[in-house]
Amino acid sequence: MRIIPNQTYDKVLITEKPPMDGDIEESADQEDNDERADRVRRASWRSLFNFTSRSHLFPLLAALALSVASGIIIPALAVFLGLVFDSFTDFGAGTMSGSSLIHKVSKNAIALAGLGSASWLLNGCYFMAWLVFGELQAKNVRERLFDGMLQKDMEWYDMRKAGVGALIPRLQTQIRELQIATSQPLGFAVQYTVTTFAALGLAFYTAWNLTLVTLATVPISAVILSWISGRMQPSIDAQIEELTQASKLANNALSVIDMVKFFNGQDFEMWQYANAIKKAAKWYLVQAQANALQIGFVRIMTLGMFVQGFWYGSHLVATGKKNAGEVLTAFWACLVATQAIEQILPQMIVLEKGRAAGATLKAVLVQMERGRKITKMVGRMTPRYCEGDIEARNLSFAYPSRPNEPALKNASFFFPAAETTFVIGSSGSGKSTLGNLLMRFYMPGAGEISIDGNPIQTLDINWLRNNITLVQQQSVLFNETIFKNIAFGRRDHGMVRKDEVKRSIETAYLQYTIQDLPKGLDTLVGVGGNAMSGGQKQRLAIARGRLRDTPILILDEATSALDHISRTLVMEAVRDWRHGKTTIIITHDISQIRGEDFAYVLDKGVVVQQGYRYALETLTSGPFAGFLQPDINFPNPAHQECLRRQDRPVTSMDPIPTSPAPSVLSQDSMDIHFLPKASYIPSVFGFIPEDVRARRPSQGLISPLSPVAVHLHRMSTQVGPRASFRNYARPIEHHVPLSPSMLPSSNGMEILEMTGRSSVLSRLNTAMGRQGASEHSLHSSARRYSTLRLEAFLPKGKRKLTQAEKSRRILSLKKILLTVWPTLAWRKRLVLICGFLCAFIHAAATPVFSWVFSKLLGTFYLTSNRSQMALTWSISVLGVAVGDAVASYFMHYFLESCGQAWIDTLRIQAMRRILDQPRAWFDRDKNSLSHLTECLDRNAEEMRNLVGRYAGFAFVALAMMTMALVWSLIVCWKLTLVGLTSAPLMYAITRGFQAVSGKWEGKSNDAGEVAGSIFTETFGNIRTVRALTLEGYFHKKYAKATANAMTIGLKRSAYSGLFYGLSDSGIIFITALIFYYGALLVASRQFSTQDILTVVSMLLFSISNINAIIAFVPQINSSRDTATRLLRLSNLPYRSSHEHVGQVRISHIGPITFHNLSFTYPSRPTHPALTGINLTIHPNTSTAIVGSSGSGKSTIASLLLGLYPPSLTSYTDLSPPTLTISGRDIRGLHIHTLRSLIAIVPQTPALFPTTVAANITYGLPETSPLVSAFNVRGAAQAAGIDDFITSLPQGYNTQIGDGGAGLSGGQAQRLVIARALVRRPEILVLDEPTSSLDSESAEVVRQTVRRLVGRRGMTVLVITHSREMMAVCETVVVVEKGRVMEEGGFEELMGRRGELRRLLGGGELME
């Protein structure tokens, strides 16, 4: 055992016992259920103001004050209307002269014009104020969510049931819903509420008794409306849940689109997504029905009150208690009040969604503040220096998502300062968990960790992470330039100069890759670094770590994407850099471990062995011995001599080896048989200090005076640690030639720039007594190939679009609405027709009501039979009210139903077409995962309003206006024409409002998307953000984005408010004009008073409805923008790619022949991946396709599975077949059937957040016998994962986390192998199947392959760098630069001393 200093530290205090696995799932479920219940229970109207701070009070009070003032405008209008009507009534009764009528009406018309001016100012300011308030709410909730999530520990992220990937877009959608609700809709609601109360106040003041009679039914109506409203909230909550599930499903499918295609999972993904969408639609229709009931009920209440009201009003006039003007003023005020309530109802769904969103967002914040509490010491200690001594005692830890499965069990470690220590173990042994604990992503459940004697929990978290660098296997890059991504390594990354990152770039061998890029260090790496290959990303992460240069470095499989030569060179550079600094290397590849390196061996969370490598190698049994499998020897005497020389003891008299070979080769790596100063340097950190040696096991000590140490010291002085970096920049002509197989490429693992490799090889060959040769042509080749992948993804030069081009990109409302009819089924088309018929009836009700209303008004100046006529026309009004209410209900419900069916069809169609697109389509920037999921989620929700709300209103307004105009022209054509003279001006104002609103809505949406993308990038990569202590940077970046969104929002509110105020007040000016000219016509006896009143009523009611449409213009423009985006996806080409050309279905796969096949990837048209390849793969054989990275190996598999067509330039039936299966051209084969006969194991495992069993059987029909439990378990056993699965609490029914969370890389890889085996394919393609596995797991996979080969019932195609996997196969095909260089058995090819020998380092270097 390593001797640990006898020190004790304060332990972490756990106030809550971690629940068992079942308990944690139940508690998580209960938490979610409680959260949903809280939302429903607490979603009061106050939820709209959950994020209103004190600084928002002034804008809110200003908005409320302006709403009150603007709300009084309409009741004030009722006063003047009453005065004008009183004048007309007196004139009709003969008590007023024509000149007096004109005088009084003129006076009131001037007052109306003044009222219109006030309305322009007040409505514009109130509209602007509410837009500002909505922006403030959005900004505040964004900042609070960002801050809250930034403070949460990793446990909170792990416990999200739907995964963070699904949580983030839903939060963005809810922020948007809250912002929309607290903008215009809330302002309208407040304004119309004020209008209601002001109108009622006026009515009571004018005629309180008439008002009471008129509004007698309002209390009962209010109770009914409240009950209907109560039905909406639970359905909104349920719809949100289903939409979250749909978003999660879409995100999961599109993030692993290759796997979906390989396993024919498109239909299954569509079925899941369509089901989730249909469930969400069902809940929305409940909301739509409730809202339609409210609107219909208010409609009958509004018009029905005329029955008792006018009957009683006529009585008051007849008895002389009130005059006609007072009755009309009171009645008009009541009408205004009820119409104001009616205007609120269309906004109810928006407001309900807003308050639900506010309650949900608040619940998320509260839940973040509560959570499961773990009381621990809050670290504030910031030591002046960090020496790098790390000590861990008796660590035990289980991940929150799997509390019953400890990742570490009573494990103790000691990592001395200035030393290197390796942690090795099989997949799932707990290696990476150690790194997570040292970074304090989690606190241990038991035990303690100390750094330089300080308990880790007492250290300031930023100090800790600024002194530890963690470089993980999945290197995360941010959507910034290469320079910025490297600069992030420094705390003062904003002050880093480009010349300061030079050494970091050299350490990672990135210099020539960067030089060959058009923009060099200023090249953007894309979202998630998708413009860079896996190897480039890992090297960039290492460069970032080099610049960071902390006292402690943790490398967690940080070079796994590099081939063995590249790994060796980078590790040399890292060792040189880390001289005298604490380094922890977590790996399963023991070829990186030198004899003097100390190693811990982990197994199932327990330290089962520890010691120096040279000492562990002497043990013939034990866990470490399991990593030392017998090597596959070259059939070469020189190689055997090397191994013999290695095995005998080294003495101080031994000369420098001229043919060095590794001491023990890793079981599963493509080992190169040269060893650059690896075996004969005692430690990259020099001799081990005595105080450190005192803590090492006694059997591991080497005396500095021993012969071995003397020899090692001599070697270290002759081939020193820094020797390999002194001359890397020498001209390439000074280096030895390299094998063509060493050229880098874009596929799989990445090979380093040739200059760096050539430098090391040159020095090695010089040490061996070789003479280096000139290689003038290598530099250009290396530079061309090293940037191959990155160039393919570089954003093309984009010119700035003009405003005209931007406007053309957004479809017109007409074009959008024309897509409704084709997408609906016949049943829904009938519903749509009925909806518009009901809309026509609803529209006709207004002019009919206006005519009946004018008749009712005429009863006031009747001298006889007044009460009887009033009752007759009142009952007529009731009939109109009932018909209008029924038509209004069905109009709203039918159109909402059709709108929902429309977007559901478009969503499903868009998802289907997205899944159908060829693979190259997904590589384009505009088709990023976040953009696609947003279009399917939020954009569709906003788009529905175009049919459900706005189309109906627009149709009603148009029909109403048409009928009113025709009727008015018949009754009084002169007054109607005068009213129409204002139409061009109103149209211009409305179009101006629409244009301005549309422009700024688009800018506001874009700014919101930028803020959302930063939010997604931050929390999608939260581990890396925390590891690099970049919280402050992203906080500032996000604050800047939200501030920019706020600035654009303020400009939007100013411009939109100006035009809205003008368009909204226009009706008052028109009213003044109509009354004045009507008075002139009546006074001149050209038309009767009855005719004038009829026309005035019709025009005013119709114009008021047109005016109501104007209020929706901003929301209509926003919906147009979102609709355009979704329609682009739903109109993608379908079944037109190469995947649907062939129709021949084959049942068995015979010989596979590549005949003179050339292929170029669409994204890299100038760089052929395959060039005239000729290859035949016979059935029931095993073939290994080998070659350097980028040689075209994986391309062969992609073509075989139909991911790309074999030729993109001349894809016709007349072109000769270049790829045939069973003698048939693959272009004529049914790709779906072909893929059902082939299974692939990709290098990067792709898992879905479902059960283990469902992951294994993914893509298989439910009725298939292959999904039986017996077959599933057999496949798992063959993949070596059955024992792990059965150890889980729920076995094969255990849920896997989002993206395979909770599984190690090796466990995930074996699960994917089981997925391939369960299908019992005729062809099994293994693409680097053991790259993520330890030697023991890799051997299980190799044994499985051996058994499959032995059965003679399956064709096995293995793409590999592993020498051991090559030896398993019957045939080895060496591919280089897209050509087959040689082919034959492994032993045969090794004996030829050709390309394979050179590839494995046994040719050129071993001669």
Side-chain angles (χ1 to χ4, degrees):
M1 296 291 293
R2 300 178 95 176
I3 301 172
I4 308 290
N6 185 20
Q7 299 179 20
T8 59
Y9 308 115
D10 296 333
K11 295 183 178 179
V12 179
L13 302 176
I14 301 179
T15 60
E16 200 171 292
K17 180 182 177 182
M20 306 298 283
D21 187 64
D23 295 337
I24 193 69
E25 289 186 6
E26 289 176 9
S27 65
D29 290 342
Q30 186 61 42
E31 186 176 271
D32 286 348
N33 290 335
D34 289 346
E35 186 178 314
R36 284 195 293 270
D38 286 346
R39 280 207 303 268
V40 174
R41 188 166 53 248
R42 299 178 183 176
S44 64
W45 293 113
R46 292 180 57 187
S47 300
L48 291 170
F49 305 98
N50 277 341
F51 299 93
T52 303
S53 64
R54 289 187 177 181
S55 61
H56 300 167
L57 288 179
F58 177 75
L60 176 60
L61 291 175
L64 289 171
L66 289 166
S67 297
V68 170
S70 60
I72 295 174
I73 294 292
I74 302 300
L77 179 62
V79 174
F80 291 106
L81 291 178
L83 294 174
V84 171
F85 178 76
D86 199 26
S87 300
F88 276 99
T89 302
D90 290 342
F91 179 81
T95 58
M96 181 181 291
S97 65
S99 58
S100 298
L101 173 65
I102 293 174
H103 174 73
K104 285 192 174 183
V105 171
S106 299
K107 184 178 178 181
N108 288 321
I110 294 172
L112 284 174
L115 191 65
S117 301
S119 175
W120 181 5
L121 177 65
L122 292 174
N123 278 302
C125 292
Y126 119 88
F127 191 83
M128 178 174 62
W130 280 112
L131 286 181
V132 170
F133 181 70
E135 292 289 344
L136 289 171
Q137 299 310 287
K139 185 173 185 292
N140 192 23
V141 68
R142 284 172 179 152
E143 291 174 348
R144 288 184 61 181
L145 269 179
F146 193 89
D147 293 343
M149 290 179 68
L150 213 55
Q151 298 299 320
K152 293 305 295 180
D153 54 22
M154 294 310 303
E155 175 183 352
W156 185 85
Y157 291 92
D158 291 346
M159 293 303 293
R160 297 308 94 200
K161 289 180 63 179
V164 178
L167 172 67
I168 291 173
R170 284 309 304 162
L171 290 177
Q172 299 295 332
T173 299
Q174 287 164 348
I175 291 172
R176 176 68 175 173
E177 288 175 350
L178 179 63
Q179 179 184 1
I180 291 175
T182 53
S183 298
Q184 308 104 298
L186 182 57
F188 294 151
V190 173
Q191 181 191 25
Y192 291 131
T193 300
V194 171
T195 298
T196 300
F197 283 104
L200 290 177
L202 176 62
F204 276 104
Y205 174 79
T206 306
W208 64 268
N209 46 1
L210 175 60
T211 304
L212 286 177
V213 172
T214 303
L215 302 178
T217 58
V218 169
I220 299 174
S221 302
V223 172
I224 296 174
L225 288 175
S226 178
W227 175 80
I228 296 173
S229 180
R231 293 184 57 200
M232 294 176 67
Q233 192 61 45
S235 61
I236 290 174
D237 190 68
Q239 186 204 13
I240 290 173
E241 296 296 329
E242 296 299 341
L243 286 176
T244 300
Q245 177 67 11
S247 179
K248 173 185 173 182
L249 292 171
N251 185 77
N252 292 335
L254 299 180
S255 63
V256 288
I257 187 63
D258 285 2
M259 288 303 99
V260 173
K261 287 180 176 290
F262 285 151
F263 291 95
N264 293 325
Q266 296 97 320
D267 289 342
F268 175 70
E269 296 297 341
M270 276 305 310
W271 176 79
Q272 286 193 111
Y273 183 75
N275 275 348
I277 289 299
K278 288 175 182 176
K279 290 178 182 177
K282 180 187 71 173
W283 289 112
Y284 182 78
L285 291 180
V286 174
Q287 304 168 38
Q289 188 179 43
N291 190 243
L293 273 174
Q294 287 180 320
I295 292 172
F297 190 81
V298 168
R299 196 69 182 168
I300 194 172
M301 181 188 73
T302 302
L303 301 182
M305 67 182 187
F306 281 81
V307 177
Q308 72 270 19
F310 257 92
W311 174 80
Y312 187 66
S314 298
H315 171 72
L316 292 177
V317 173
T319 57
K321 295 181 179 178
K322 296 290 181 183
N323 59 38
E326 291 174 329
V327 170
L328 181 63
T329 298
F331 214 86
W332 192 272
C334 290
L335 180 63
V336 165
T338 52
Q339 282 188 330
I341 295 174
E342 190 178 7
Q343 292 295 329
I344 295 174
L345 293 180
Q347 309 290 346
M348 285 304 296
I349 287 185
V350 179
L351 293 172
E352 292 280 2
K353 281 182 173 291
R355 72 170 180 168
T360 302
L361 292 169
K362 184 70 173 179
V364 170
L365 283 173
V366 170
Q367 191 272 333
M368 280 194 286
E369 294 169 0
R370 288 190 316 210
R372 291 197 310 155
K373 291 183 170 57
I374 297 180
T375 305
K376 55 180 178 287
M377 297 179 64
V378 179
R380 289 290 182 267
M381 186 184 297
T382 55
R384 188 171 183 181
Y385 300 108
C386 178
E387 298 293 339
D389 259 350
I390 302 175
E391 183 181 339
R393 281 189 166 191
N394 306 320
L395 290 184
S396 292
F397 175 77
Y399 285 98
S401 57
R402 294 178 294 155
N404 264 356
E405 302 165 39
L408 288 176
K409 293 182 285 188
N410 202 32
S412 296
F413 306 87
F414 178 66
F415 305 104
E419 263 297 340
T420 183
T421 308
F422 282 79
V423 179
I424 64 174
S426 59
S427 302
S429 60
K431 305 186 300 295
S432 298
T433 300
L434 178 62
N436 289 331
L437 293 177
L438 292 178
M439 292 299 296
R440 220 169 93 180
F441 291 149
Y442 305 91
M443 293 301 291
E448 54 195 20
I449 302 173
S450 63
I451 296 179
D452 295 339
N454 301 307
I456 194 171
Q457 67 269 22
T458 66
L459 296 171
D460 179 77
I461 190 65
N462 286 325
W463 181 93
L464 177 74
R465 291 172 181 167
N466 282 325
N467 283 280
I468 302 178
T469 296
L470 173 64
V471 182
Q472 295 177 301
Q473 181 177 2
Q474 300 299 327
S475 303
V476 172
L477 301 181
F478 300 101
N479 190 21
E480 301 279 0
T481 63
I482 291 175
F483 169 73
K484 194 71 174 178
N485 269 284
I486 296 175
F488 279 148
R490 283 250 299 265
R491 279 176 289 179
D492 58 340
H493 48 79
M495 306 296 294
V496 176
R497 299 189 307 273
K498 290 187 177 180
D499 60 325
E500 293 181 273
V501 304
K502 180 179 179 182
R503 179 180 296 179
S504 303
I505 294 170
E506 292 167 354
T507 299
Y509 287 84
L510 275 170
Q511 59 269 34
Y512 285 103
T513 295
I514 293 172
Q515 286 176 12
D516 287 346
L517 296 173
K519 294 185 179 180
L521 283 171
D522 295 324
T523 302
L524 285 170
V525 302
V527 178
N530 63 1
M532 304 192 78
S533 69
Q536 288 170 332
K537 286 194 284 188
Q538 284 197 336
R539 281 184 278 153
L540 206 152
I542 291 170
R544 182 165 61 198
R546 175 66 180 88
L547 182 67
R548 194 171 180 80
D549 199 17
T550 53
I552 300 170
L553 172 69
I554 305 171
L555 298 179
D556 187 357
E557 302 284 6
T559 58
S560 61
L562 303 177
D563 66 272
H564 190 75
I565 293 178
S566 303
R567 257 200 319 269
T568 302
L569 295 175
V570 170
M571 286 308 299
E572 286 180 356
V574 170
R575 285 178 178 270
D576 184 69
W577 152 40
R578 297 301 299 171
H579 182 80
K581 297 173 183 175
T582 306
T583 305
I584 303 170
I585 301 177
I586 298 170
T587 183
H588 65 258
D589 179 12
I590 65 170
S591 67
Q592 301 177 21
I593 308 177
R594 297 177 179 174
E596 283 296 308
D597 289 331
F598 195 90
Y600 287 94
V601 183
L602 279 173
D603 183 32
K604 297 180 179 178
V606 178
V607 177
V608 293
Q609 205 170 12
Q610 56 183 301
Y612 296 98
R613 170 169 178 158
Y614 72 84
L616 294 174
E617 287 176 347
T618 62
L619 304 176
T620 58
S621 63
F624 190 82
F627 289 87
L628 304 174
Q629 301 295 333
D631 186 30
I632 297 174
N633 298 327
F634 289 128
N636 183 303
H639 175 64
Q640 301 293 339
E641 175 62 24
C642 288
L643 294 180
R644 284 195 296 273
R645 285 176 56 85
Q646 172 205 324
D647 291 338
R648 67 179 176 82
V650 182
T651 69
S652 61
M653 303 303 293
D654 286 335
I656 299 174
T658 57
S659 298
S663 58
V664 180
L665 295 174
S666 171
Q667 163 65 7
D668 195 55
S669 60
M670 193 184 79
D671 293 295
I672 309 304
H673 287 266
F674 67 88
L675 195 58
K677 66 185 189 311
S679 295
Y680 37 78
I681 299 176
S683 169
V684 71
F685 310 108
F687 290 102
I688 304 171
E690 293 299 327
D691 63 327
V692 174
R693 290 184 179 278
R695 311 182 199 178
R696 302 286 196 189
S698 59
Q699 71 269 22
L701 298 176
I702 298 179
S703 170
L705 301 179
S706 68
V708 174
V710 171
H711 172 69
L712 294 174
H713 176 65
R714 189 165 66 228
M715 294 304 97
S716 67
T717 58
Q718 294 183 19
V719 189
R722 299 186 184 277
S724 62
F725 293 93
R726 290 173 183 166
N727 301 313
Y728 82 89
R730 288 182 297 172
I732 194 68
E733 291 81 358
H734 296 168
H735 303 321
V736 299
L738 290 180
S739 164
S741 66
M742 296 180 183
L743 288 176
S745 161
S746 61
N747 288 346
M749 299 184 293
E750 292 298 314
I751 298 181
L752 300 176
E753 283 76 11
M754 294 301 103
T755 52
R757 177 181 297 169
S758 301
S759 177
V760 175
L761 292 180
S762 175
R763 289 192 297 279
L764 288 170
N765 287 321
T766 302
M768 298 175 188
R770 296 255 178 86
Q771 183 67 37
S774 173
E775 188 176 358
H776 179 75
S777 62
L778 177 64
H779 188 202
S780 59
S781 298
R783 291 164 67 91
R784 180 177 71 252
Y785 281 91
S786 63
T787 59
L788 187 63
R789 178 180 178 92
L790 191 52
E791 285 181 357
F793 289 93
L794 287 177
K796 309 298 180 186
K798 294 181 180 179
R799 63 185 179 85
K800 190 173 181 181
L801 293 174
T802 65
Q803 189 59 42
E805 289 171 322
K806 288 183 179 179
S807 64
R808 279 198 297 270
R809 288 191 304 166
I810 300 178
L811 296 176
S812 67
L813 196 59
K814 177 183 176 182
K815 289 183 178 179
I816 294 171
L817 293 178
L818 284 176
T819 66
V820 177
W821 182 264
T823 60
L824 298 180
W826 277 107
R827 184 177 178 182
K828 283 296 180 182
R829 290 179 181 179
L830 292 175
V831 172
L832 182 67
I833 293 171
C834 291
F836 279 105
L837 284 176
C838 292
F840 184 81
I841 296 171
H842 174 57
T846 298
V848 171
F849 170 78
S850 301
W851 180 73
V852 174
F853 184 60
S854 66
K855 294 295 185 181
L856 198 57
L857 294 177
T859 62
F860 285 117
Y861 50 82
L862 292 178
T863 56
S864 63
N865 204 22
R866 178 183 295 171
S867 298
Q868 183 62 35
M869 292 302 295
L871 181 60
T872 300
W873 290 114
S874 294
I875 294 175
S876 300
V877 167
L878 181 60
V880 173
V882 172
D884 188 25
V886 173
S888 181
Y889 165 77
F890 283 109
M891 177 194 80
H892 284 90
Y893 181 69
F894 285 167
L895 292 182
E896 287 281 14
S897 174
C898 291
Q900 184 65 46
W902 177 46
I903 67 162
D904 285 349
T905 303
L906 290 178
R907 269 175 165 156
I908 294 170
Q909 184 173 314
M911 186 67 174
R912 179 180 293 110
R913 291 178 181 243
I914 289 170
L915 292 173
D916 186 66
Q917 295 309 295
R919 181 61 183 85
W921 184 84
F922 293 90
D923 293 331
R924 301 170 190 166
D925 289 340
K926 65 179 181 179
N927 301 326
S928 66
L929 178 62
S930 60
H931 174 74
L932 294 177
T933 52
E934 183 180 20
C935 284
L936 293 171
D937 186 10
R938 179 176 72 84
N939 290 357
E941 287 297 293
E942 290 192 25
M943 179 181 178
R944 178 187 50 231
N945 294 331
L946 289 176
V947 172
R949 296 173 61 196
Y950 311 136
F953 284 131
F955 178 81
V956 166
L958 182 63
M960 189 182 298
M961 196 67 192
T962 302
M963 287 185 284
L965 286 175
V966 171
W967 201 331
S968 298
L969 284 170
I970 294 172
V971 175
C972 181
W973 62 272
K974 285 188 176 182
L975 182 59
T976 304
L977 289 178
V978 169
L980 286 176
T981 56
S982 61
L985 179 61
M986 287 300 298
Y987 177 78
I989 293 172
T990 303
R991 289 292 294 176
F993 178 39
Q994 183 181 6
V996 170
S997 175
K999 173 184 175 181
W1000 287 100
E1001 279 289 338
K1003 288 187 175 183
S1004 184
N1005 286 341
D1006 290 342
E1009 281 188 11
V1010 170
S1013 66
I1014 298 172
F1015 192 95
T1016 302
E1017 185 176 34
T1018 303
F1019 297 108
N1021 306 309
I1022 187 63
R1023 286 179 188 270
T1024 304
V1025 170
R1026 288 182 171 168
L1028 297 173
T1029 60
L1030 291 174
E1031 295 95 334
Y1033 168 78
F1034 280 100
H1035 189 276
K1036 290 179 181 177
K1037 185 177 181 181
Y1038 189 69
K1040 183 178 179 180
T1042 56
N1044 181 57
M1046 181 70 189
T1047 300
I1048 292 175
L1050 293 177
K1051 292 180 179 179
R1052 174 177 72 113
S1053 62
Y1055 289 112
S1056 298
L1058 174 67
F1059 280 86
Y1060 173 76
L1062 184 59
S1063 60
D1064 190 66
S1065 60
I1067 185 176
I1068 301 179
F1069 293 104
I1070 296 173
T1071 300
L1073 175 64
I1074 290 173
F1075 273 125
Y1076 174 73
Y1077 190 68
L1080 291 178
L1081 293 177
V1082 169
S1084 62
R1085 306 290 179 177
Q1086 297 182 41
F1087 295 92
S1088 67
T1089 304
Q1090 181 67 47
D1091 292 339
I1092 295 299
L1093 290 178
T1094 299
V1095 171
V1096 167
S1097 298
M1098 287 185 181
L1099 291 179
L1100 289 184
F1101 276 109
S1102 300
I1103 293 173
S1104 65
N1105 280 278
I1106 294 288
N1107 198 55
I1109 299 299
I1110 295 173
F1112 290 120
V1113 167
Q1115 297 172 55
I1116 291 174
N1117 282 321
S1118 180
S1119 297
R1120 273 181 57 216
D1121 182 50
T1122 56
T1124 300
R1125 304 182 190 203
L1126 182 58
L1127 285 171
R1128 180 184 77 86
L1129 296 179
S1130 64
N1131 285 291
L1132 289 170
Y1134 184 60
R1135 302 183 69 85
S1136 61
S1137 70
H1138 69 279
E1139 297 181 0
H1140 302 286
V1141 174
Q1143 298 299 322
V1144 178
R1145 301 172 186 265
I1146 58 175
S1147 57
H1148 298 286
I1149 294 180
I1152 301 169
T1153 304
F1154 295 83
H1155 175 68
N1156 198 30
L1157 187 148
S1158 296
F1159 175 76
T1160 302
Y1161 282 100
S1163 57
R1164 305 190 291 271
T1166 60
H1167 297 85
L1170 296 176
T1171 306
I1173 192 170
N1174 291 285
L1175 173 65
T1176 299
I1177 301 173
H1178 297 284
N1180 304 325
T1181 61
S1182 57
T1183 303
I1185 299 180
V1186 304
S1188 60
S1189 298
S1191 58
K1193 306 184 302 297
S1194 295
T1195 302
I1196 292 174
S1198 296
L1199 294 175
L1200 182 59
L1201 280 151
L1203 201 60
Y1204 298 92
S1207 174
L1208 292 173
T1209 54
S1210 57
Y1211 193 74
T1212 65
D1213 292 335
L1214 299 178
S1215 59
T1218 54
L1219 173 56
T1220 60
I1221 298 176
S1222 300
R1224 297 179 179 272
D1225 188 348
I1226 192 174
R1227 293 175 297 180
L1229 297 181
H1230 189 254
I1231 296 298
H1232 187 95
T1233 303
L1234 177 65
R1235 288 173 179 167
S1236 69
L1237 300 173
I1238 305 175
I1240 185 170
V1241 177
Q1243 183 176 359
T1244 303
L1247 296 174
F1248 299 90
T1250 182
T1251 64
V1252 172
N1255 266 284
I1256 293 176
T1257 59
Y1258 179 79
L1260 291 173
E1262 290 184 2
T1263 57
S1264 172
L1266 297 177
V1267 301
S1268 67
F1270 176 80
N1271 190 50
V1272 170
R1273 186 159 189 184
Q1277 289 171 341
I1281 193 70
D1282 178 66
D1283 290 341
F1284 168 73
I1285 297 173
T1286 53
S1287 69
L1288 298 173
Q1290 295 179 317
Y1292 283 82
N1293 292 321
T1294 302
Q1295 288 281 336
I1296 294 176
D1298 191 22
L1303 298 179
S1304 69
Q1307 289 165 346
Q1309 186 75 357
R1310 282 179 282 168
L1311 203 58
V1312 172
I1313 293 172
R1315 176 194 292 163
L1317 296 178
V1318 78
R1319 304 167 73 87
R1320 299 185 182 178
E1322 295 204 12
I1323 297 180
L1324 177 64
V1325 181
L1326 303 164
D1327 189 356
E1328 295 290 354
T1330 57
S1331 62
S1332 298
L1333 302 182
D1334 56 86
S1335 58
E1336 182 180 353
S1337 302
E1339 179 58 27
V1340 171
V1341 174
R1342 279 191 293 274
Q1343 292 294 344
T1344 300
V1345 175
R1346 289 190 185 100
R1347 287 196 299 271
L1348 294 172
V1349 171
R1351 290 177 186 171
R1352 293 293 175 186
M1354 181 184 296
T1355 303
V1356 180
L1357 185 64
V1358 183
I1359 298 167
T1360 184
H1361 285 90
S1362 166
R1363 188 179 61 260
E1364 293 76 20
M1365 286 299 294
M1366 297 176 199
V1368 171
C1369 299
E1370 299 166 284
T1371 304
V1372 177
V1373 178
V1374 182
V1375 179
E1376 203 58 58
K1377 295 183 181 179
R1379 298 179 182 272
V1380 175
M1381 307 304 292
E1382 61 180 358
E1383 181 179 356
F1386 179 77
E1387 297 292 337
E1388 174 192 349
L1389 295 182
M1390 291 306 300
R1392 289 182 189 175
R1393 306 165 70 84
E1395 290 296 325
L1396 181 63
R1397 181 70 175 274
R1398 186 177 296 109
L1399 182 67
L1400 295 179
E1404 174 185 305
L1405 293 174
M1406 294 305 300
E1407 290 179 338

